[in-house]
Amino acid sequence: MSVQQNTPQKKDPGNDGQPERFKPKVLLIWLVIISAIVALWFAQPSTGANLVRLTISELVQAVKDGEIEKGAGVMKPDPSLGDGGTIITGKMNNPNYDVNLSDANVAAKVNFSAEGRLTEEDFLLVREVLQERRRSTAFQDILISFLPFLLIIGLLYFLFVRQLKSAGRGAMSFGKSKAKMLTRDKDALTFKDVAGCDEAKEEVSEVVDFLKDPKKFQRIGGRIPKGVLMMGPPGTGKTLLAKAVAGEADVPFFSISGSDFVEMFVGVGAARVRDMFEQGRKNAPCIVFIDEIDAVGRQRGAGVGGGNDEREQTLNSLLVEMDGFDGHEGVIIIAATNRPDVLDSALLRPGRFDRQVTIDLPDLNGRHEILLVHAKKIALSDEVNLEHVARNTPGFSGADLSNLLNEGALIAARYNKQAVEMNDLDEARDKISFGRERRKLMDDEDRKITAYHEAGHALVQAVVDDGHMPVHKVTIIPRGQSLGSTMFMPKKDLLNHSKRRLLNQICCGMGGRSAEEIVMGDITSGASGDIRMVTTTARHMVCDWGMTELGPIAYGESQSHAYMGTVGAGAKNYSEETAQKIDQVIHDIVQEQYIRSLQILNEHRAALDTMAEALLEHETIDGNHVNEILEFGEMRSPIIKRVIAEPEPEPDAVDDETESQAEEDDDKGDLSGEEAPAPSPA
């Protein structure tokens, strides 16, 4: 996979990545502020309870008496006291003054302070004992006076103003693009890692070739498409193909999701579009990949999803940036969506998305190639035939096939196997297609009804099948929402539906209902899903495919594909008389196949009973068992039961367990609870 670019880049203020860490510069500033506060605190003259205030004469006398040691005080000139004014501070020994000292601390030093004018004689005397501090300038006095205020202002700045600026940058970052710049990596995906969509790879690889060698196309007047739109059902590999483009291209690759343009603030989406193209222009030539573009590219106005001013504004900005007066050469847009029907027509025209690449569900060869790619990381046994697995998975997307192998590995691990076997993949396929087995408690009556219902499906299909849709497995173990399942394995991908096969499909669908009626003499609600399926098929035959006497006419307007792979209801554009004819023809088709299924089951009643009894006994039988019952009247192939293997214990553990068990047997004797027999005489 592609990863973010490793080269150091300048951090954008509006970056939405990780929060900004505490920088060493800020830490140094805080240390300076704290140090200055501590220095000011200690620089202030002491004003404790032991401070003695002396007059100048008392100070001179204390110096003469030796109560002040040399270097124990400081003399500082003070012009505010007049000519010769001086402030003297320091410590003195055992002064004869009234201070609050305990008896134990009589000899302790106390602080003193004296202010006044010294004569020249006293000045020379005091200077010999005390240190003289130079007279400070007016600038120094002002600086010292205002230094605390400066420190407080600086503190407020870093605490409040800086935070406000950061908040302002965060608010303005809403308009910044969230596109992530990707670059090649040693583990990046390439076109070799994408299988099952060779045509799409060729379309996209031309863009990569143009970026690598533009002169190859320019010498004959060709120009690269400005946009490539990849569309297809979910799981077919659209995003994977874009990641492969990022791994193959030697140009900057920006990746963004369509939902990243939408925010709670008005105008943010348009601003992010402009910023995204601005980044692309700075790094041109480059590729910008927009995943799920239908989030912002929906049709404007009262179309699907209704109108939305913010989304339309974002779309308009995208349209202008892609092909406006200010066109951007070298910025190629690759978008992916599974909703091409809801995209705006202005977005799909040439000049914006010049090339539209459809990535459909893979065919047989495509599924085989996809399985080979994903099987590289799975431990498969030698018996696994991936071509057979591909044949058994029609309609599976690339994501489904990857999930199939992963589920097979999980099932094999559950059974304590060292490698994935073929039956593990079969069980994984059934789990994905029909749901996980549910050991739902059913009484004998429900199990019997379910057994005959599924046997009816399997028997009818085995009789009417033309070899293209044989029975794969029949089970009465509940899966998903059904109490039982009959699974088929097509021999090839069915691209077209013939009338004969559709009628056989309807007949098979009514087989379960017919079996209930024949055996039980009653019908249940278990055939509700079958009834919906056959009715839908019959309606398609009448209204869409023109396979009835009503002629090759499409009844109903063109049906809107609200989602790729699903069909929504079309509007009624025919008369009531025609509607009655349609309903009658649909009824006749279903009723005829219902009667046909009853005839088939009555003709093979013995096989029906045998198959139902086998299901009640074994719960699951394979397609070959169905054919054997129909041909020979009994099952001749064995039923393979899956048993969870016990993990092999370590040798040391086995020895210890054997020894402990032997000792326990010696102590207790027979484990059956009876006394151990006495040893027989020799």
Side-chain angles (χ1 to χ4, degrees):
M1 290 182 63
S2 303
V3 298
Q4 293 189 5
Q5 190 173 358
N6 297 325
T7 56
Q9 295 182 354
K10 186 178 180 181
K11 196 75 173 179
D12 195 319
N15 196 350
D16 59 340
Q18 297 182 354
E20 185 178 0
R21 296 183 177 180
F22 198 74
K23 299 181 179 180
K25 182 180 179 181
V26 179
L27 180 60
L28 180 61
I29 294 175
W30 277 104
L31 291 176
V32 171
I33 293 175
I34 295 174
S35 302
I37 294 175
V38 173
L40 285 176
W41 176 265
F42 285 102
Q44 296 295 327
S46 302
T47 58
N50 296 337
L51 179 64
V52 179
R53 297 192 178 275
L54 305 176
T55 61
I56 293 297
S57 59
E58 292 174 342
L59 174 66
V60 173
Q61 186 61 40
V63 172
K64 293 179 179 179
D65 295 342
E67 295 176 355
I68 300 177
E69 298 179 357
K70 188 173 183 179
V74 177
M75 301 172 54
K76 181 182 178 181
D78 190 356
S80 62
L81 299 177
D83 189 17
T86 307
I87 298 177
I88 304 172
T89 57
K91 292 181 181 291
M92 60 188 305
N93 298 324
N94 193 18
N96 296 323
Y97 300 99
D98 187 13
V99 296
N100 297 325
L101 294 175
S102 64
D103 296 338
N105 296 327
V106 172
K109 294 183 178 181
V110 295
N111 299 318
F112 73 89
S113 175
E115 298 179 358
R117 301 175 61 183
L118 289 172
T119 61
E120 185 175 354
E121 182 181 356
D122 294 339
F123 176 77
L124 296 175
L125 175 64
V126 175
R127 190 177 63 176
E128 294 179 357
V129 178
L130 304 179
Q131 298 178 358
E132 183 181 4
R133 183 180 296 177
R134 290 185 178 182
R135 180 177 177 179
S136 61
T137 62
F139 177 76
Q140 292 176 340
D141 295 337
I142 295 174
L143 182 62
I144 294 174
S145 301
F146 286 95
L147 184 60
F149 299 98
L150 295 176
L151 293 175
I152 295 175
I153 294 174
L155 182 63
L156 292 176
Y157 172 79
F158 284 101
L159 285 179
F160 299 103
V161 179
R162 187 179 177 89
Q163 295 296 328
L164 291 176
K165 285 188 174 182
S166 300
R169 289 196 300 267
M172 297 303 295
S173 66
F174 283 110
K176 299 294 182 180
S177 173
K178 294 185 177 182
K180 299 179 180 178
M181 186 174 180
L182 309 177
T183 184
R184 291 201 60 177
D185 188 74
K186 60 180 181 180
D187 298 327
L189 294 176
T190 61
F191 287 146
K192 296 180 180 179
D193 301 318
V194 182
C197 52
D198 296 336
E199 294 82 2
K201 284 197 298 183
E202 292 178 1
E203 296 276 357
V204 179
S205 61
E206 289 184 5
V207 177
V208 179
D209 293 339
F210 182 90
L211 294 173
K212 291 182 178 181
D213 187 16
K215 296 181 180 179
K216 175 182 175 182
F217 300 86
Q218 293 175 351
R219 70 168 58 100
I220 57 176
R223 65 174 182 84
I224 196 64
K226 292 187 177 181
V228 178
L229 179 64
M230 297 185 296
M231 50 189 182
T236 52
K238 300 182 296 295
T239 305
L240 182 67
L241 186 58
K243 293 179 180 179
V245 173
E248 291 283 349
D250 292 329
V251 296
F253 188 95
F254 295 90
S255 176
I256 191 172
S257 174
S259 60
D260 291 336
F261 295 106
V262 183
E263 276 287 356
M264 60 181 293
F265 299 104
V266 177
V268 170
R272 287 180 176 176
V273 170
R274 292 189 295 268
D275 186 73
M276 180 185 67
F277 277 88
E278 184 68 22
Q279 295 182 30
R281 201 165 49 244
K282 293 179 181 178
N283 296 273
C286 68
I287 297 176
V288 177
F289 174 66
I290 305 176
D291 199 7
E292 306 296 343
I293 194 174
D294 53 272
V296 294
R298 287 178 177 266
Q299 185 175 359
R300 292 166 291 181
V304 181
N308 187 295
D309 292 339
E310 173 63 15
R311 188 178 65 242
E312 292 180 4
Q313 186 177 358
T314 305
L315 175 59
N316 291 334
S317 179
L318 181 62
L319 296 176
V320 172
E321 293 291 342
M322 290 189 67
D323 189 24
F325 286 103
D326 190 17
H328 302 302
E329 293 292 335
V331 181
I332 300 174
I333 305 295
I334 299 180
T337 182
N338 48 34
R339 304 286 305 277
D341 55 295
V342 302
L343 296 180
D344 195 274
S345 57
L347 191 64
L348 302 177
R349 74 162 178 81
R352 293 193 174 103
F353 284 108
D354 305 88
R355 183 171 297 179
Q356 300 178 16
V357 181
T358 301
I359 305 177
D360 209 346
L361 294 173
D363 56 3
L364 178 60
N365 295 329
R367 293 195 298 272
H368 187 212
E369 294 175 358
I370 294 173
L371 289 172
L372 290 176
V373 171
H374 293 291
K376 296 178 181 179
K377 301 180 181 179
I378 305 294
L380 300 177
S381 64
D382 297 335
E383 67 168 355
V384 174
N385 187 355
L386 293 181
E387 186 176 357
H388 182 71
V389 176
R391 191 176 300 276
N392 292 343
T393 53
F396 275 45
S397 64
D400 294 332
L401 295 174
S402 176
N403 187 36
L404 172 68
L405 293 177
N406 184 65
E407 288 289 343
L410 297 179
I411 294 173
R414 187 193 312 160
Y415 287 94
N416 299 315
K417 297 181 179 180
Q418 300 298 323
V420 180
E421 299 177 355
M422 197 66 189
N423 53 359
D424 299 322
L425 296 179
D426 290 339
E427 185 173 344
R429 171 186 175 272
D430 299 340
K431 179 181 178 181
I432 295 173
S433 301
F434 305 99
R436 183 173 180 173
E437 293 183 353
R438 298 184 293 113
R439 295 293 177 178
K440 190 174 182 179
L441 183 61
M442 293 190 298
D443 55 15
D444 294 339
E445 183 180 0
D446 290 333
R447 293 181 79 250
K448 183 179 180 181
I449 294 175
T450 304
Y452 274 99
H453 184 100
E454 300 303 332
H457 285 307
L459 185 56
V460 172
Q461 181 64 24
V463 173
V464 303
D465 181 47
D466 56 357
H468 291 85
M469 192 71 72
V471 179
H472 173 62
K473 186 184 296 184
V474 187
T475 180
I476 59 173
I477 300 175
R479 287 182 178 271
Q481 300 297 323
S482 63
L483 298 178
S485 302
T486 302
M487 310 170 194
F488 311 103
M489 183 180 63
K491 292 295 184 180
K492 65 175 186 177
D493 294 340
L494 301 178
L495 303 179
N496 295 303
H497 303 282
S498 64
K499 181 179 180 179
R500 176 170 52 85
R501 291 177 182 173
L502 290 173
L503 293 176
N504 292 338
Q505 183 180 346
I506 296 175
C507 183
C508 174
M510 300 304 298
R513 175 73 169 261
S514 301
E516 293 179 8
E517 184 176 352
I518 293 174
V519 178
M520 305 298 174
D522 195 3
I523 55 178
T524 66
S525 61
S528 60
D530 301 329
I531 294 175
R532 287 194 297 269
M533 184 271 294
V534 299
T535 304
T536 302
T537 303
R539 185 170 295 277
H540 281 303
M541 293 177 64
V542 177
C543 299
D544 298 327
W545 301 327
M547 294 181 176
T548 62
E549 61 269 17
L550 294 180
I553 300 175
Y555 295 99
E557 294 181 354
S558 58
Q559 300 179 347
S560 61
H561 294 262
Y563 196 84
M564 289 197 68
T566 63
V567 180
K572 181 179 177 182
N573 64 347
Y574 44 85
S575 64
E576 291 295 332
E577 182 180 358
T578 304
Q580 293 179 2
K581 293 181 181 180
I582 293 173
D583 294 339
Q584 185 62 42
V585 172
I586 294 174
H587 174 271
D588 294 342
I589 292 175
V590 176
Q591 190 66 24
E592 290 175 2
Q593 299 305 316
Y594 181 53
I595 296 173
R596 180 188 176 193
S597 65
L598 287 172
Q599 295 174 352
I600 294 174
L601 294 178
N602 284 321
E603 292 175 2
H604 302 85
R605 175 62 189 274
L608 177 65
D609 295 334
T610 304
M611 197 177 302
E613 293 174 358
L615 287 172
L616 291 173
E617 181 181 357
H618 304 288
E619 292 186 333
T620 301
I621 60 176
D622 295 331
N624 58 329
H625 299 140
V626 175
N627 296 327
E628 291 172 356
I629 293 174
L630 188 60
E631 184 177 356
F632 306 108
E634 61 179 359
M635 293 191 306
R636 298 186 175 184
S637 301
I639 300 291
I640 301 176
K641 296 283 187 180
R642 304 200 64 178
V643 180
I644 299 178
E646 295 292 335
E648 298 181 359
E650 298 181 358
D652 297 339
V654 173
D655 297 339
D656 296 340
E657 184 178 356
T658 304
E659 293 177 0
S660 62
Q661 186 65 38
E663 294 176 358
E664 185 178 356
D665 293 343
D666 293 338
D667 295 337
K668 297 184 178 180
D670 192 3
L671 297 179
S672 62
E674 302 178 356
E675 290 185 5
S680 59

